[in-house]
Amino acid sequence: MRGYLGIDVGSVSTNLVVIDDDCNVLIDVYLRTRGQPIQVVQEGMRQVEEAIKGKNIEICGVGTTGSARILTGVIVGADTVKNEITAHAVAASHMVPDVQTVLEIGGQDSKIILLRDGIVVDFAMNTVCAAGTGSFLDHQAARLNIPIEQFGELALESKSPVRIAGRCSVFAESDMVHKQQMGHPVQDIIAGLCDALVRNYLNNVGKGKEILPPVVFQGGVAANVGIRAAFERALGLEVFVPEYFHVMGAIGAALLAKSAIRGKGRTQFRGFAVSDMEYKATSFECNGCPNLCEIVNISVNGEVLARWGGRCGKWETLQKTG
Amino acid sequence: MKISFPYMGTSHIVAGYLLENLGHEVIHPPVPSKKTLSLGVQHAPEFACLPFKIVLGTYLEVVEMGAEVLITSGGCGPCRAGYYGEMHKRILHDLGYPVEMIVIEPPLVEPFDFFKKLHRLVKPKGYINLVRVLRVAWAKMQALDDLEKTLHKLRPLVFAKKQLNRIYDEGLEAIRRADSVKEVAVARKDALEAMHSLPADHHYKPLRIGLIGEIYVVLEPFANFDIERILGEMGAYVHRSIFLTNWIRDNVLAHGEKDIRAAAVPFLNEMVGGHGQNSVGEVVRYAAKNFDGVIQLAPFTCIPEIVAKSIMPAASKARGIPVMTLYLDEQTGQGGIETRLEAFLDLLRQKRRKQEAS
């Protein structure tokens, strides 16, 4: 059977999926990036290899996405390297063909994507504000000593959410602490936080956007039923969370790889052996001009594989990526 | 007196020439760098905009190099940039640099003040010299803009993009060195010919993108991640709404920009300071010229561009042209910008494909 591998390496999680020719998800792997994109991709590849063993699946195309998409693309030998906005839109419109609005909240990013008649017509992604993303929720769950998985359900237990300032994660936290020290129950505080995040999201990335149904909510934060409920309250619309909400970027990358292969025929996939190679990333500051670019070197088994980060291109000539 | 000035795009070539040839000792501002930014951020009010911080950083670099007088432009709209000269001066004084700040206000708004300041600058070599120097400076400015427009046009088409950048840089240097209208013309012609001689795919129809927003972040590549280069290398044609020559013509020599402000009606009927109303007007104009999309560059916390941004969805929808706003601040990680640009180009490509199919 032919399989297509999609890899989404984000700030917080790294996801790998394998789909078949009919776009069914055969395998999905969800790992934490933990600041080590290379190692986690290798670990993910090991798990995918393990999962397809004996299933007679041949990887015929590979796509990467997420903030480490270029790095990952070099490591695995990707056929297509695509930004996560396009990847998420492709996956959403595949899963829910008539989708008009995609809400996506990941670890560091939150985005809104508007589609009409199956094509992306507008999008926005947070630029200078990270309040309301998964990392912040993680941090608050840890601070309150509540497993992140239970965070959303606790929010649903609240009868009267308290008001939390959602503009900035630092101020949101102090607001939460103030309310907690006043004696408000933790459920009401968490529910208030969910409302605040949704308010900030809609006012920040969602500003001026025409949010029409069907609305799909995806990304790691979509696991949080409290946030989902807060979205439904704020929008007055039903918010649909797809089955594979947590790996939608990877699914998008796999779908894009599948269509890229149709165009060019042969995959550049380097094989599962990449999980055992020794990849090394080093960096230095180039002093050639006042730009002082930070150049990154990627080498495998001691040989330089790719280099990037410069503005003038004098370091990149080795291999063109992206 | 040693004179210096802010660094913005290619304007330093003209400003440096002008002041030097009026008989002043010029401290040439260095290209803005991470060091400039760090200096500016350290000493500027936290919520001041990025242009304020970069320019302050430049001032701190040039006063260290010995500058005693700083020349900058003023402003008279609701944009707070009109106060920046004064703010910068006070910050520099507080830090122990007793610089003099000459803020040039638009001549048609403050004619008396303008000529008083002009007279001081012109005095060393007199007015006959001024006429000659102005002619050369204007020729340089036009040549610089021509080179840049050609660069934007050819970037998506030329195969050897790095070589194109190099020829362009050499052209800038030749224009900088030129000392007469004739020499400028030769430098301009040589550079344009060299650029046009590079092998290019002239059948390729690149996506056409209009670049609008606040003047400093639009003109200074350090403030905008060199967005024109990134887009050009991704294969898109970038048309910038602001060039030095048209800006000078519209703001110094005449009360221009009326047509572009009129184009903003009925979406934004009021002057909101800075380039706010222009930004909306430009979107309307780019739509009329069948551009594929528009990118708005705004410094974080910039009031005029915030006003413009909130009006963009209405203008964008009514005229059927996608607009993406990028807020620029201290961040120097290029990855985030590239992601957004890539996705925006994907969107425009899909839109074009759909239009062609129908």
Side-chain angles (χ1 to χ4, degrees):
Chain A
M1 188 177 10
R2 292 158 67 87
Y4 303 90
L5 175 63
I7 310 176
D8 177 1
V9 186
S11 58
V12 173
S13 76
T14 292
N15 319 312
L16 296 90
V17 301
V18 176
I19 59 169
D20 64 13
D21 264 321
D22 300 323
C23 305
N24 300 307
V25 177
L26 305 173
I27 291 151
D28 68 284
V29 174
Y30 181 98
L31 298 164
R32 292 247 163 185
T33 309
R34 296 185 202 283
Q36 311 261 353
I38 299 176
Q39 283 83 341
V40 78
V41 167
Q42 290 183 306
E43 172 57 27
M45 294 291 278
R46 235 170 270 148
Q47 294 195 14
V48 171
E49 187 183 18
E50 195 61 35
I52 63 172
K53 211 176 255 170
K55 283 193 182 156
N56 190 27
I57 298 171
E58 187 202 349
I59 300 297
C60 296
V62 183
T64 61
T65 186
S67 41
R69 63 187 177 281
I70 297 175
L71 175 67
T72 312
V74 167
I75 291 174
V76 300
D79 300 301
T80 174
V81 176
K82 213 36 150 174
N83 65 82
E84 51 271 34
I85 298 161
T86 305
H88 273 283
V90 166
S93 65
H94 173 76
M95 296 290 177
V96 184
D98 55 347
V99 59
Q100 298 209 78
T101 308
V102 178
L103 316 172
E104 200 272 344
I105 306 185
Q108 287 286 320
D109 287 326
S110 53
K111 27 188 168 308
I112 185 165
I113 308 169
L114 303 185
L115 298 100
R116 300 291 182 264
D117 304 321
I119 77 163
V120 178
V121 292
D122 197 6
F123 69 85
M125 196 166 167
N126 61 335
T127 43
V128 280
C129 174
T133 53
S135 298
F136 180 56
L137 286 175
D138 260 357
H139 174 65
Q140 292 311 320
R143 192 178 65 83
L144 297 168
N145 204 16
I146 297 164
I148 186 72
E149 295 77 15
Q150 292 169 22
F151 211 74
E153 271 145 38
L154 273 174
L156 294 185
E157 288 173 16
S158 165
K159 295 272 182 304
S160 64
V162 294
R163 195 187 187 288
I164 304 287
R167 177 96 176 79
C168 156
S169 60
V170 176
F171 295 141
E173 175 163 335
S174 38
D175 221 15
M176 286 170 71
V177 172
H178 290 317
K179 306 257 159 142
Q180 146 210 320
Q181 310 296 55
M182 294 289 289
H184 288 283
V186 71
Q187 289 89 335
D188 289 350
I189 293 174
I190 294 175
L193 177 64
C194 292
D195 284 339
L197 293 195
V198 166
R199 199 165 50 231
N200 183 51
Y201 174 95
L202 292 175
N203 193 26
N204 191 329
V205 293
K207 184 135 225 147
K209 307 281 183 226
E210 193 183 23
I211 298 176
L212 297 177
V215 178
V216 169
F217 180 23
Q218 58 198 42
V221 175
N224 188 317
V225 288
I227 299 276
R228 178 186 175 180
F231 265 124
E232 290 187 328
R233 264 199 308 277
L235 295 173
L237 295 169
E238 194 193 338
V239 171
F240 179 72
V241 176
E243 184 187 355
Y244 292 104
F245 65 91
H246 57 304
V247 293
M248 291 296 270
I251 293 175
L255 290 164
L256 288 162
K258 186 168 163 279
S259 57
I261 283 302
R262 222 179 302 143
K264 68 180 200 182
R266 238 182 88 84
T267 180
Q268 286 169 297
F269 182 42
R270 294 161 68 95
F272 286 102
V274 297
S275 49
D276 297 323
M277 289 182 191
E278 200 196 330
Y279 288 92
K280 229 173 128 182
T282 52
S283 68
F284 64 93
E285 197 173 72
C286 170
N287 289 316
C289 79
N291 284 334
L292 302 180
C293 296
E294 289 151 4
I295 311 293
V296 179
N297 259 324
I298 306 296
S299 53
V300 58
N301 299 338
E303 191 187 330
V304 179
L305 193 63
R307 221 187 249 136
W308 55 73
R311 286 193 179 196
C312 72
K314 79 170 170 187
W315 297 104
E316 278 91 339
T317 43
L318 177 84
Q319 185 182 335
K320 182 98 185 109
T321 51
Chain B
M1 59 181 188
K2 294 180 182 166
I3 297 192
S4 195
F5 46 86
Y7 191 105
M8 178 174 79
T10 56
S11 63
H12 66 99
I13 295 175
V14 180
Y17 174 83
L18 206 57
L19 290 168
E20 237 162 33
N21 285 275
L22 289 177
H24 302 285
E25 191 179 340
V26 174
I27 304 286
H28 291 276
V31 186
S33 64
K34 285 179 220 160
K35 184 182 151 222
T36 318
L37 180 62
S38 300
L39 278 172
V41 168
Q42 192 184 342
H43 297 292
E46 184 196 348
F47 278 96
C49 63
L50 185 63
F52 184 96
K53 293 176 181 174
I54 298 178
V55 172
L56 179 61
T58 298
Y59 288 158
L60 285 163
E61 286 177 312
V62 294
V63 291
E64 272 301 313
M65 291 156 76
E68 298 153 337
V69 177
L70 300 171
I71 297 192
T72 184
S73 63
C76 45
C79 166
R80 51 191 170 164
Y83 301 109
Y84 279 5
E86 185 63 26
M87 285 281 291
H88 281 137
K89 184 175 88 184
R90 292 189 187 199
I91 291 171
L92 290 166
H93 285 185
D94 285 350
L95 291 171
Y97 298 102
V99 287
E100 186 190 345
M101 184 75 74
I102 301 180
V103 182
I104 311 266
E105 302 291 347
L108 297 173
V109 180
E110 303 258 1
F112 182 69
D113 178 79
F114 177 80
F115 285 108
K116 206 172 74 186
K117 286 167 180 165
L118 182 75
H119 183 66
R120 236 191 101 193
L121 293 171
V122 174
K123 219 167 43 181
K125 284 192 163 182
Y127 281 87
I128 294 172
N129 175 60
L130 173 70
V131 174
R132 185 193 81 86
V133 172
L134 275 183
R135 278 187 62 222
V136 180
W138 183 248
K140 285 192 186 214
M141 211 182 282
Q142 285 178 311
L144 291 170
D145 283 358
D146 287 347
L147 248 61
E148 217 174 346
K149 283 176 189 163
T150 308
L151 176 73
H152 295 162
K153 202 179 83 192
L154 290 177
R155 230 180 214 149
L157 311 180
V158 159
F159 301 113
K161 299 193 198 301
K162 308 285 180 206
Q163 206 182 338
L164 180 69
N165 291 342
R166 203 162 46 238
I167 294 173
Y168 170 73
D169 287 340
E170 287 165 6
L172 292 188
E173 179 56 22
I175 291 173
R176 192 188 67 76
R177 279 196 311 264
D179 195 28
S180 66
V181 174
K182 210 168 155 188
E183 279 177 33
V184 173
V186 172
R188 173 184 172 277
K189 188 164 161 277
D190 287 352
L192 290 180
E193 276 176 11
M195 287 162 97
H196 279 292
S197 72
L198 289 174
D201 179 1
H202 290 286
H203 299 292
Y204 176 62
K205 294 258 172 291
L207 289 170
R208 303 193 318 145
I209 293 172
L211 194 62
I212 61 168
E214 188 277 333
I215 182 167
Y216 191 89
V217 296
V218 168
L219 287 183
E220 177 45 49
F222 176 73
N224 64 31
F225 297 90
D226 210 350
I227 188 171
E228 292 163 353
R229 181 184 57 78
I230 300 179
L231 285 168
E233 288 177 2
M234 285 177 174
Y237 164 67
V238 184
H239 182 279
R240 201 171 66 201
S241 57
I242 309 171
F243 277 89
L244 272 183
T245 40
N246 62 16
W247 187 80
I248 299 254
R249 209 179 291 140
D250 291 343
N251 289 278
V252 181
L253 305 177
H255 277 304
E257 299 184 346
K258 289 211 173 97
D259 51 336
I260 193 68
R261 298 214 177 115
V265 178
F267 303 107
L268 177 55
N269 306 348
E270 299 293 325
M271 157 80 179
V272 293
H275 288 76
Q277 202 184 9
N278 298 45
S279 285
V280 176
E282 298 286 3
V283 167
V284 172
R285 204 142 78 170
Y286 280 126
K289 288 189 197 157
N290 277 322
F291 269 63
D292 294 281
V294 173
I295 294 177
Q296 180 196 12
L297 298 180
F300 187 46
T301 75
C302 170
I303 308 278
E305 296 299 330
I306 289 173
V307 174
K309 184 193 180 256
S310 57
I311 291 165
M312 282 314 167
S316 162
K317 198 175 171 194
R319 300 301 155 103
I321 185 163
V323 180
M324 175 170 72
T325 304
L326 293 174
Y327 279 115
L328 300 164
D329 200 44
E330 249 191 88
Q331 288 93 333
T332 52
Q334 203 173 291
I337 289 285
E338 281 176 359
T339 298
R340 288 159 181 82
L341 294 180
E342 237 182 66
F344 191 59
L345 294 186
D346 282 347
L347 178 163
L348 299 182
R349 227 170 268 132
Q350 282 190 346
K351 180 170 178 270
R352 191 189 264 192
R353 224 173 279 149
K354 199 180 162 198
Q355 275 168 349
E356 282 169 355
S358 64

